[in-house]
Each structure stands twice: as C-alpha cells, then as structure tokens.
Amino acid sequence: MSPLITRRRAATAVLTTALLIPLAACGDSGSDQAKDGGSKATSSASNAPKADLTVLAAASLTDVFKEAGAAYEKENPGTKVTFSFAGSQELAAQVKQGAPADALVTADTRTMDGLTGETGTPAVIARNRLVIAVGEGNPEKVENLKDLSDAELKVVLAAPEVPVGRYSKQILDAQKIEVKPVSQEPNVRAVLSKVELGEADAGLVYRTDAATATDKVDAIDIPDAENAVASYPAATLKGSKHSEAAAAFVAWLSTPAAQKILQGAGFQQP
C-alpha cells in the first residue's frame, strides 16, 4: 500500500474520531439530563404541597385517622391535617351548606354519590364489616343476630339515615329479624358508647369500632353470609382552597403506608 493512501486513511480516522467525541458527549449529557429530570419529577411528585387541610371523616375513622394524620404530617413537613368526625349524613349536610373543608371520607358510597357536584372523583380506600357489640363478658349471652329480637334485650342501633344504621337494617331485614331498638343514634360511636356505659345490652357497630373498646365490650362476629360490607370512599372537595394538597392527601390514603395503618386497625383492603 502506498504511503499516500496510508496517510489519507490515518487522517480520515482522526477526523472521524474527533467528530464522534463531541456527539458522544452530547448523547451522555442528554441522558444525564433525562435522568436528572426524572429524578426531580419523582422528587417533586412525592412532596405534597404544604397546607393546613381540613378533612371531614366518618365517625368510625376517628382513631385510625388520628394515627394516619400524624403519619402523613411526618412524611410531609409543613402540612397540618385537621379532622372533623361525624356521621356520614352529617358530613354530607355540612358539605352542602358550604362548610370550609378540603376532603371528605364517608362510610358508604351512597352518601358520597349524593355529592357528585361537590366532590372530585372518589376512590374507595377501605372496607369494614359489622359485629354485635355487647357488654364485657357478654352477660346477656347474645350469640347471633336472632337473639337481638328478644323483647327483654335492650338493643341500640344507629338511625336508618346513618350508613351503619342502613347496613344494620339491611342485614336484619335479610334474615327477617325484627328488632325494636331502645334508641337510634346519630353515628356508630354513639351506639358503641351506649353499650360501653351499660345503657344497652347490645348494638350493631363496625368491627373496627368494637376493637377500640375491648376493655368494655365484647364483639360477637356475624357470618359473612349474613353480614354487610361497608365501603369507605375518599374524595377532594371542589370548594377546597388547597386543591393540590387535598388531592395529594386523598391519593396517599391508597398508598402502602396508609393501607398498613388502616388494616392494622382492622379495616379490610379496598
């Protein structure tokens, strides 16, 4: 091969290498930028906007949401979550009246569905079942739903417009059991309180509520075939002044961290 050809090939190789080095550098830079951009996006998505949030929540969530709220605040410094607990029907009335709040969690889908013009798209975050709550040691020897029809037994139920009251009526009607309650309460915690205080011999409450008072009440399980499943939908409120922060909190309720807290309290997975 002639020296001229050899010199030309060598020059071509040098030129090619010189051109490829900047291109490779540009390619690496672009890749790093993409990685950095993805990292930044992930980081910002995981950090909810800071805000003072007010969440309206069903009474049966009282204990577990206090724990969940503390966990959320720890994960999101600068955010404060304040809960207002009541029967779902009371919460719905507050929303319709324009109460200042950012998110809503009810103990049934029916109540939430009645607020479609006031909320974002709801998502079920947990489920629950009913039990018969009786005094510690079950002094009246209540064994099943049929026992609640005993005229000598003081039974307390939630009012039929309350989700747990509606579930109670549903399962009693399905078994053709007639119960004449001594009172009808505005929420499940009021039913539980009556049994705790000895003002009632028995009452129908959520399994998770009975679990909060094991030193004062016993829980009689109701077979799944005779029971009802309560669903808990969560949604942002359109009147919220902190819509992004509210959406972040509602989304968090479905995360593994929140689900661990809910299921630890006895709630079933969505």
Coordinates of all heavy atoms in Angstrom, one line a residue, residues 42-133:
T42 N -39.8 12.9 40.0 CA -40.3 12.0 41.1 C -40.2 12.6 42.4 O -41.1 12.4 43.3 CB -39.3 10.7 41.0 OG1 -39.4 10.1 39.8 CG2 -39.7 9.7 42.1
S43 N -39.1 13.4 42.7 CA -39.0 14.0 44.0 C -40.1 15.0 44.2 O -40.7 15.0 45.3 CB -37.6 14.7 44.0 OG -37.5 15.4 45.2
S44 N -40.4 15.8 43.2 CA -41.5 16.8 43.5 C -42.8 16.2 43.6 O -43.7 16.7 44.3 CB -41.5 17.8 42.3 OG -41.8 17.2 41.1
A45 N -43.1 15.1 42.9 CA -44.3 14.4 43.0 C -44.6 13.8 44.3 O -45.7 13.6 44.8 CB -44.4 13.3 41.9
S46 N -43.5 13.4 45.0 CA -43.6 12.7 46.3 C -43.7 13.7 47.4 O -44.0 13.3 48.5 CB -42.4 11.8 46.5 OG -41.2 12.6 46.6
N47 N -43.5 15.0 47.1 CA -43.6 16.0 48.2 C -44.9 16.8 47.9 O -45.0 17.6 47.0 CB -42.4 17.0 48.1 CG -41.1 16.2 48.5 OD1 -41.1 15.3 49.3 ND2 -40.0 16.6 47.9
A48 N -45.9 16.5 48.8 CA -47.2 17.2 48.6 C -47.0 18.7 48.9 O -46.2 19.1 49.8 CB -48.2 16.6 49.5
P49 N -47.8 19.6 48.3 CA -47.8 21.0 48.6 C -48.2 21.2 50.1 O -49.0 20.5 50.6 CB -48.9 21.6 47.7 CG -49.1 20.6 46.6 CD -48.8 19.2 47.2
K50 N -47.5 22.1 50.7 CA -47.7 22.4 52.1 C -49.0 23.1 52.3 O -49.3 24.1 51.6 CB -46.6 23.2 52.7 CG -45.2 22.5 52.7 CD -44.1 23.4 53.3 CE -42.8 22.6 53.3 NZ -42.4 22.2 52.0
A51 N -49.8 22.7 53.3 CA -51.1 23.4 53.5 C -51.7 22.9 54.8 O -51.3 21.9 55.4 CB -52.1 23.1 52.4
D52 N -52.6 23.7 55.4 CA -53.4 23.3 56.5 C -54.7 22.7 56.0 O -55.6 23.5 55.4 CB -53.7 24.5 57.4 CG -52.5 24.9 58.2 OD1 -51.5 24.2 58.2 OD2 -52.5 26.0 58.8
L53 N -54.9 21.4 56.1 CA -56.0 20.7 55.5 C -57.1 20.4 56.5 O -56.8 20.0 57.6 CB -55.6 19.4 54.8 CG -54.6 19.5 53.6 CD1 -54.2 18.1 53.2 CD2 -55.3 20.3 52.5
T54 N -58.3 20.5 56.1 CA -59.5 20.1 57.0 C -60.1 18.9 56.2 O -60.6 19.1 55.1 CB -60.5 21.2 57.2 OG1 -59.8 22.3 57.9 CG2 -61.6 20.7 58.0
V55 N -60.2 17.8 56.9 CA -60.8 16.6 56.3 C -62.0 16.2 57.1 O -62.0 16.0 58.3 CB -59.8 15.4 56.3 CG1 -60.4 14.2 55.7 CG2 -58.5 15.8 55.5
L56 N -63.2 16.1 56.4 CA -64.4 15.6 57.1 C -64.4 14.1 56.9 O -64.2 13.5 55.8 CB -65.6 16.2 56.3 CG -65.7 17.7 56.2 CD1 -66.9 18.1 55.4 CD2 -65.6 18.4 57.5
A57 N -64.5 13.4 58.1 CA -64.4 11.9 58.0 C -65.5 11.2 58.9 O -65.9 11.7 59.9 CB -63.0 11.5 58.5
A58 N -65.9 10.1 58.4 CA -66.9 9.3 59.1 C -66.4 9.0 60.6 O -65.2 8.7 60.8 CB -67.2 8.0 58.4
A59 N -67.4 8.9 61.5 CA -67.0 8.7 62.9 C -66.3 7.5 63.2 O -65.4 7.4 64.1 CB -68.3 8.7 63.7
S60 N -66.5 6.4 62.4 CA -65.8 5.2 62.6 C -64.3 5.2 62.2 O -63.6 4.3 62.5 CB -66.5 4.1 61.7 OG -66.6 4.5 60.4
L61 N -63.9 6.3 61.6 CA -62.5 6.5 61.3 C -61.7 7.3 62.4 O -60.5 7.6 62.2 CB -62.3 7.2 60.0 CG -62.8 6.5 58.7 CD1 -63.0 7.4 57.5 CD2 -61.9 5.3 58.4
T62 N -62.4 7.7 63.5 CA -61.8 8.6 64.5 C -60.4 8.2 64.9 O -59.5 9.0 64.8 CB -62.8 8.7 65.7 OG1 -64.0 9.2 65.3 CG2 -62.2 9.6 66.7
D63 N -60.3 7.0 65.4 CA -59.0 6.5 66.0 C -57.9 6.3 64.9 O -56.8 6.8 65.0 CB -59.1 5.3 66.8 CG -60.0 5.5 68.0 OD1 -59.5 5.9 69.0 OD2 -61.3 5.3 67.9
V64 N -58.3 5.6 63.8 CA -57.3 5.3 62.8 C -56.8 6.5 62.0 O -55.6 6.6 61.7 CB -57.8 4.2 61.9 CG1 -58.9 4.7 61.0 CG2 -56.7 3.6 61.0
F65 N -57.7 7.5 61.8 CA -57.3 8.7 61.1 C -56.4 9.6 61.9 O -55.6 10.3 61.3 CB -58.5 9.4 60.5 CG -58.8 9.1 59.1 CD1 -58.4 7.9 58.5 CD2 -59.6 10.0 58.3 CE1 -58.6 7.7 57.2 CE2 -59.9 9.7 57.0 CZ -59.4 8.5 56.4
K66 N -56.6 9.6 63.2 CA -55.6 10.3 64.0 C -54.2 9.8 63.8 O -53.3 10.6 63.7 CB -56.1 10.3 65.5 CG -57.3 11.1 65.8 CD -57.7 10.9 67.3 CE -59.0 11.7 67.5 NZ -59.5 11.6 68.9
E67 N -54.1 8.5 63.8 CA -52.8 7.9 63.6 C -52.3 8.2 62.1 O -51.1 8.5 61.9 CB -52.9 6.4 63.8 CG -51.5 5.7 63.6 CD -51.6 4.2 63.8 OE1 -52.7 3.7 64.2 OE2 -50.6 3.5 63.5
A68 N -53.2 8.0 61.2 CA -52.8 8.3 59.8 C -52.5 9.7 59.5 O -51.5 10.0 58.8 CB -54.0 7.9 58.9
G69 N -53.2 10.6 60.2 CA -52.9 12.1 60.0 C -51.5 12.4 60.5 O -50.7 13.2 59.9
A70 N -51.2 11.8 61.7 CA -49.8 12.1 62.2 C -48.7 11.5 61.3 O -47.7 12.2 61.1 CB -49.7 11.4 63.6
A71 N -49.0 10.4 60.7 CA -48.0 9.8 59.8 C -47.9 10.6 58.6 O -46.7 10.8 58.1 CB -48.5 8.4 59.4
Y72 N -49.0 11.2 58.1 CA -48.9 12.0 56.9 C -48.1 13.3 57.1 O -47.3 13.7 56.3 CB -50.3 12.3 56.4 CG -50.4 13.0 55.0 CD1 -50.1 12.3 53.9 CD2 -50.6 14.4 54.9 CE1 -50.1 12.9 52.6 CE2 -50.6 15.0 53.7 CZ -50.4 14.3 52.6 OH -50.4 14.9 51.3
E73 N -48.4 13.9 58.3 CA -47.7 15.1 58.6 C -46.2 14.9 58.8 O -45.4 15.7 58.4 CB -48.3 15.7 59.9 CG -49.7 16.2 59.8 CD -50.3 16.7 61.1 OE1 -49.6 16.5 62.2 OE2 -51.4 17.3 61.1
K74 N -45.8 13.7 59.3 CA -44.4 13.4 59.4 C -43.8 13.2 58.1 O -42.6 13.6 57.9 CB -44.3 12.1 60.2 CG -42.8 11.7 60.6 CD -42.8 10.5 61.5 CE -41.3 10.1 61.8 NZ -41.2 8.9 62.7
E75 N -44.5 12.6 57.1 CA -44.0 12.4 55.8 C -43.9 13.7 55.0 O -43.1 13.9 54.1 CB -44.8 11.4 55.0 CG -44.7 10.0 55.4 CD -45.5 9.1 54.5 OE1 -45.8 9.4 53.4 OE2 -45.8 7.9 55.0
N76 N -44.8 14.7 55.4 CA -44.9 16.0 54.7 C -44.8 17.1 55.6 O -45.8 17.8 56.0 CB -46.2 16.0 53.9 CG -46.4 14.9 52.9 OD1 -45.9 15.0 51.8 ND2 -47.0 13.8 53.3
P77 N -43.6 17.4 56.1 CA -43.3 18.6 57.0 C -43.9 19.9 56.4 O -43.8 20.2 55.3 CB -41.8 18.6 57.1 CG -41.3 17.3 56.8 CD -42.3 16.8 55.7
G78 N -44.6 20.6 57.3 CA -45.2 21.8 56.9 C -46.7 21.7 56.6 O -47.4 22.7 56.4
T79 N -47.2 20.5 56.5 CA -48.6 20.2 56.3 C -49.2 19.8 57.6 O -48.7 19.0 58.3 CB -48.8 19.1 55.2 OG1 -48.4 19.6 53.9 CG2 -50.3 18.7 55.1
K80 N -50.4 20.4 57.8 CA -51.2 20.0 59.0 C -52.5 19.5 58.6 O -53.2 20.1 57.7 CB -51.4 21.2 60.0 CG -52.2 20.9 61.2 CD -52.2 22.1 62.1 CE -53.1 21.8 63.4 NZ -52.7 20.6 64.1
V81 N -53.0 18.4 59.1 CA -54.3 17.8 58.8 C -55.1 17.8 60.0 O -54.8 17.2 61.1 CB -54.1 16.3 58.3 CG1 -55.5 15.8 57.9 CG2 -53.1 16.2 57.2
T82 N -56.3 18.5 59.9 CA -57.3 18.5 61.0 C -58.5 17.8 60.6 O -59.0 18.0 59.5 CB -57.6 20.0 61.3 OG1 -56.4 20.7 61.7 CG2 -58.7 20.1 62.4
F83 N -59.0 16.9 61.4 CA -60.2 16.1 61.1 C -61.4 16.6 61.8 O -61.3 17.0 63.0 CB -59.9 14.6 61.4 CG -58.8 14.0 60.7 CD1 -57.6 13.8 61.2 CD2 -59.0 13.6 59.4 CE1 -56.5 13.2 60.5 CE2 -58.0 13.0 58.6 CZ -56.8 12.8 59.2
S84 N -62.5 16.4 61.1 CA -63.8 16.7 61.8 C -64.6 15.4 61.6 O -65.0 15.0 60.5 CB -64.5 17.9 61.1 OG -65.8 18.1 61.6
F85 N -64.9 14.7 62.7 CA -65.6 13.4 62.6 C -67.1 13.6 63.0 O -67.5 14.3 63.9 CB -64.9 12.5 63.6 CG -63.5 12.2 63.3 CD1 -62.5 12.7 64.1 CD2 -63.1 11.3 62.3 CE1 -61.1 12.5 63.8 CE2 -61.8 11.1 62.0 CZ -60.8 11.6 62.8
A86 N -67.9 12.8 62.2 CA -69.3 12.8 62.5 C -69.9 11.7 61.6 O -69.2 11.0 60.9 CB -70.0 14.2 62.1
G87 N -71.2 11.5 61.8 CA -71.9 10.5 60.9 C -71.8 11.0 59.5 O -71.8 12.2 59.2
S88 N -71.8 10.1 58.5 CA -71.6 10.5 57.1 C -72.7 11.4 56.6 O -72.5 12.3 55.9 CB -71.6 9.2 56.3 OG -70.4 8.4 56.6
Q89 N -73.9 11.2 57.1 CA -75.0 12.0 56.7 C -74.9 13.5 57.2 O -75.2 14.4 56.6 CB -76.4 11.4 57.2 CG -76.8 11.7 58.6 CD -75.9 10.9 59.6 OE1 -75.2 10.1 59.3 NE2 -76.1 11.3 60.9
E90 N -74.3 13.6 58.4 CA -74.0 15.0 58.9 C -72.9 15.6 58.1 O -73.0 16.8 57.8 CB -73.6 14.9 60.4 CG -74.6 14.4 61.4 CD -74.1 14.3 62.8 OE1 -73.4 15.3 63.2 OE2 -74.3 13.3 63.5
L91 N -71.9 14.9 57.7 CA -70.8 15.4 56.9 C -71.4 15.9 55.6 O -71.0 17.0 55.1 CB -69.7 14.4 56.7 CG -69.1 13.8 58.0 CD1 -68.1 12.8 57.6 CD2 -68.4 15.0 58.8
A92 N -72.3 15.1 55.0 CA -72.8 15.5 53.7 C -73.6 16.8 53.8 O -73.5 17.7 52.9 CB -73.8 14.4 53.2
A93 N -74.3 16.9 54.9 CA -75.1 18.2 55.2 C -74.1 19.4 55.3 O -74.4 20.5 54.7 CB -75.9 18.0 56.4
Q94 N -73.0 19.2 55.9 CA -72.0 20.2 56.1 C -71.5 20.6 54.7 O -71.3 21.8 54.5 CB -70.9 19.8 57.0 CG -71.3 19.6 58.5 CD -70.1 19.0 59.3 OE1 -69.0 19.3 59.0 NE2 -70.5 18.2 60.3
V95 N -71.2 19.7 53.9 CA -70.7 20.0 52.6 C -71.7 20.8 51.8 O -71.3 21.8 51.1 CB -70.3 18.7 51.8 CG1 -70.0 19.0 50.3 CG2 -69.1 18.0 52.5
K96 N -72.9 20.4 51.8 CA -74.0 21.1 51.1 C -74.2 22.5 51.6 O -74.6 23.4 50.8 CB -75.3 20.3 51.1 CG -75.2 19.0 50.4 CD -76.5 18.2 50.5 CE -76.5 16.9 49.7 NZ -77.7 16.1 49.9
Q97 N -73.9 22.7 52.8 CA -74.0 24.0 53.4 C -72.8 24.9 53.2 O -72.7 26.0 53.6 CB -74.3 23.9 54.9 CG -75.7 23.3 55.2 CD -75.9 22.9 56.7 OE1 -75.0 23.1 57.5 NE2 -77.0 22.2 57.0
G98 N -71.8 24.3 52.5 CA -70.6 25.1 52.2 C -69.6 25.2 53.3 O -68.8 26.1 53.4
A99 N -69.5 24.2 54.2 CA -68.5 24.2 55.3 C -67.1 24.2 54.7 O -66.9 23.5 53.7 CB -68.7 23.0 56.1
P100 N -66.2 25.0 55.2 CA -64.9 25.1 54.7 C -64.1 23.8 55.0 O -63.8 23.5 56.1 CB -64.3 26.3 55.4 CG -65.1 26.4 56.7 CD -66.4 26.0 56.3
A101 N -63.8 23.0 54.0 CA -63.1 21.8 54.1 C -62.4 21.4 52.8 O -62.8 22.0 51.8 CB -64.0 20.7 54.6
D102 N -61.5 20.5 52.9 CA -60.7 20.1 51.7 C -61.0 18.7 51.2 O -60.8 18.5 50.0 CB -59.2 20.3 52.1 CG -58.9 21.7 52.5 OD1 -59.0 22.6 51.7 OD2 -58.6 21.8 53.8
A103 N -61.4 17.8 52.0 CA -61.6 16.4 51.6 C -62.7 15.8 52.4 O -63.0 16.3 53.5 CB -60.3 15.6 51.6
L104 N -63.2 14.7 51.9 CA -64.3 14.0 52.6 C -64.1 12.5 52.5 O -63.8 12.0 51.4 CB -65.7 14.4 51.9 CG -66.9 13.6 52.3 CD1 -67.3 14.0 53.8 CD2 -68.1 14.0 51.4
V105 N -64.4 11.8 53.6 CA -64.3 10.4 53.6 C -65.6 9.9 54.3 O -65.8 10.2 55.5 CB -63.1 9.8 54.3 CG1 -63.0 8.3 54.1 CG2 -61.8 10.5 53.8
T106 N -66.4 9.1 53.6 CA -67.7 8.7 54.2 C -67.6 7.1 54.4 O -66.7 6.5 53.9 CB -68.9 9.0 53.3 OG1 -68.7 8.3 52.0 CG2 -69.0 10.5 53.0
A107 N -68.6 6.6 55.1 CA -68.6 5.2 55.4 C -69.5 4.4 54.5 O -69.8 3.3 54.7 CB -69.1 5.0 56.9
D108 N -69.9 5.1 53.4 CA -70.7 4.4 52.3 C -70.6 5.1 51.0 O -70.3 6.3 51.0 CB -72.1 4.3 52.8 CG -72.8 5.6 52.9 OD1 -72.1 6.6 53.1 OD2 -74.1 5.7 52.7
T109 N -70.8 4.4 49.9 CA -70.7 5.1 48.6 C -72.0 5.9 48.3 O -72.0 6.8 47.6 CB -70.5 4.0 47.5 OG1 -71.5 3.0 47.6 CG2 -69.1 3.4 47.7
R110 N -73.1 5.5 48.9 CA -74.4 6.1 48.7 C -74.3 7.6 49.1 O -74.8 8.5 48.3 CB -75.5 5.4 49.4 CG -76.9 6.1 49.3 CD -77.9 5.2 50.0 NE -79.2 5.8 50.0 CZ -80.3 5.3 50.6 NH1 -80.2 4.1 51.0 NH2 -81.4 5.9 50.6
T111 N -73.8 7.9 50.2 CA -73.7 9.3 50.7 C -72.8 10.1 49.8 O -73.1 11.2 49.4 CB -73.2 9.3 52.1 OG1 -74.1 8.7 53.0 CG2 -73.0 10.8 52.6
M112 N -71.6 9.5 49.4 CA -70.7 10.2 48.6 C -71.3 10.4 47.2 O -71.1 11.5 46.6 CB -69.4 9.3 48.4 CG -68.3 10.0 47.6 SD -67.6 11.5 48.4 CE -66.5 10.7 49.6
D113 N -72.0 9.4 46.7 CA -72.6 9.6 45.3 C -73.6 10.7 45.3 O -73.9 11.3 44.3 CB -73.3 8.3 44.9 CG -72.3 7.2 44.6 OD1 -71.1 7.5 44.4 OD2 -72.7 6.0 44.5
G114 N -74.2 11.0 46.5 CA -75.2 12.1 46.5 C -74.5 13.5 46.5 O -75.2 14.5 46.5
L115 N -73.2 13.5 46.4 CA -72.4 14.8 46.5 C -71.6 15.0 45.2 O -70.6 15.7 45.2 CB -71.5 14.9 47.7 CG -72.2 14.8 49.0 CD1 -71.2 14.6 50.2 CD2 -73.0 16.1 49.3
T116 N -72.0 14.4 44.1 CA -71.2 14.4 42.9 C -70.8 15.8 42.4 O -69.8 16.0 41.8 CB -71.9 13.6 41.8 OG1 -73.2 14.1 41.6 CG2 -71.9 12.1 42.1
G117 N -71.7 16.7 42.7 CA -71.4 18.1 42.2 C -70.5 18.9 43.1 O -70.0 20.0 42.8
E118 N -70.2 18.3 44.3 CA -69.4 18.9 45.3 C -68.0 18.3 45.4 O -67.1 18.9 46.1 CB -70.1 18.9 46.7 CG -71.5 19.3 46.7 CD -71.7 20.8 46.5 OE1 -70.6 21.5 46.7 OE2 -72.8 21.3 46.2
T119 N -67.8 17.2 44.9 CA -66.5 16.5 45.1 C -65.8 16.1 43.8 O -66.4 16.2 42.7 CB -66.7 15.1 45.8 OG1 -67.4 14.2 45.0 CG2 -67.6 15.3 47.1
G120 N -64.5 15.7 44.0 CA -63.8 15.2 42.9 C -64.2 13.7 42.7 O -65.1 13.3 43.4
T121 N -63.5 13.0 41.9 CA -63.8 11.5 41.7 C -63.4 10.8 42.9 O -62.2 10.8 43.3 CB -63.1 11.0 40.5 OG1 -63.4 11.7 39.3 CG2 -63.4 9.5 40.3
P122 N -64.3 10.1 43.6 CA -64.0 9.3 44.8 C -63.2 8.0 44.5 O -63.4 7.4 43.5 CB -65.3 9.1 45.5 CG -66.3 9.1 44.3 CD -65.8 10.0 43.3
A123 N -62.5 7.6 45.5 CA -61.8 6.3 45.5 C -62.0 5.6 46.8 O -61.8 6.2 47.8 CB -60.3 6.4 45.2
V124 N -62.4 4.3 46.7 CA -62.6 3.5 48.0 C -61.3 3.2 48.6 O -60.4 2.7 47.9 CB -63.4 2.2 47.7 CG1 -63.5 1.3 48.9 CG2 -64.8 2.6 47.2
I125 N -61.1 3.6 49.8 CA -59.8 3.4 50.5 C -59.8 2.2 51.5 O -58.7 1.8 52.0 CB -59.3 4.7 51.2 CG1 -60.3 5.0 52.3 CG2 -59.1 5.8 50.2 CD1 -59.8 6.0 53.3
A126 N -61.0 1.7 51.9 CA -61.0 0.7 52.9 C -62.4 0.1 52.9 O -63.4 0.7 52.4 CB -60.7 1.2 54.3
R127 N -62.6 -1.1 53.5 CA -63.9 -1.7 53.7 C -64.0 -2.2 55.2 O -63.0 -2.3 55.9 CB -64.1 -2.9 52.8 CG -64.0 -2.4 51.3 CD -64.4 -3.6 50.3 NE -64.0 -3.2 49.0 CZ -64.7 -2.5 48.1 NH1 -65.8 -1.9 48.6 NH2 -64.3 -2.2 46.9
N128 N -65.2 -2.5 55.6 CA -65.5 -2.8 57.0 C -66.6 -3.8 57.1 O -67.4 -3.9 56.1 CB -65.8 -1.6 57.8 CG -65.3 -1.6 59.2 OD1 -65.0 -2.7 59.8 ND2 -65.1 -0.5 59.9
R129 N -66.8 -4.4 58.2 CA -68.0 -5.3 58.4 C -68.6 -5.0 59.8 O -67.9 -4.4 60.7 CB -67.6 -6.8 58.3 CG -67.3 -7.2 56.9 CD -67.0 -8.7 56.8 NE -66.8 -9.1 55.4 CZ -67.7 -9.5 54.6 NH1 -69.0 -9.5 55.0 NH2 -67.4 -9.9 53.4
L130 N -69.8 -5.5 60.0 CA -70.4 -5.3 61.3 C -70.2 -6.4 62.3 O -70.0 -7.6 61.9 CB -71.9 -5.1 61.1 CG -72.4 -3.7 60.7 CD1 -71.8 -3.2 59.4 CD2 -73.9 -3.6 60.6
V131 N -70.3 -6.1 63.6 CA -70.4 -7.1 64.6 C -71.4 -6.7 65.6 O -71.9 -5.6 65.6 CB -69.0 -7.2 65.4 CG1 -67.9 -7.6 64.4 CG2 -68.6 -5.8 66.0
I132 N -71.8 -7.6 66.5 CA -72.7 -7.3 67.6 C -71.8 -6.9 68.8 O -71.0 -7.7 69.3 CB -73.6 -8.5 67.9 CG1 -74.4 -9.0 66.7 CG2 -74.6 -8.1 69.1 CD1 -75.1 -10.3 66.9
A133 N -72.0 -5.7 69.3 CA -71.2 -5.3 70.5 C -72.1 -5.5 71.7 O -73.3 -5.2 71.7 CB -70.9 -3.8 70.4

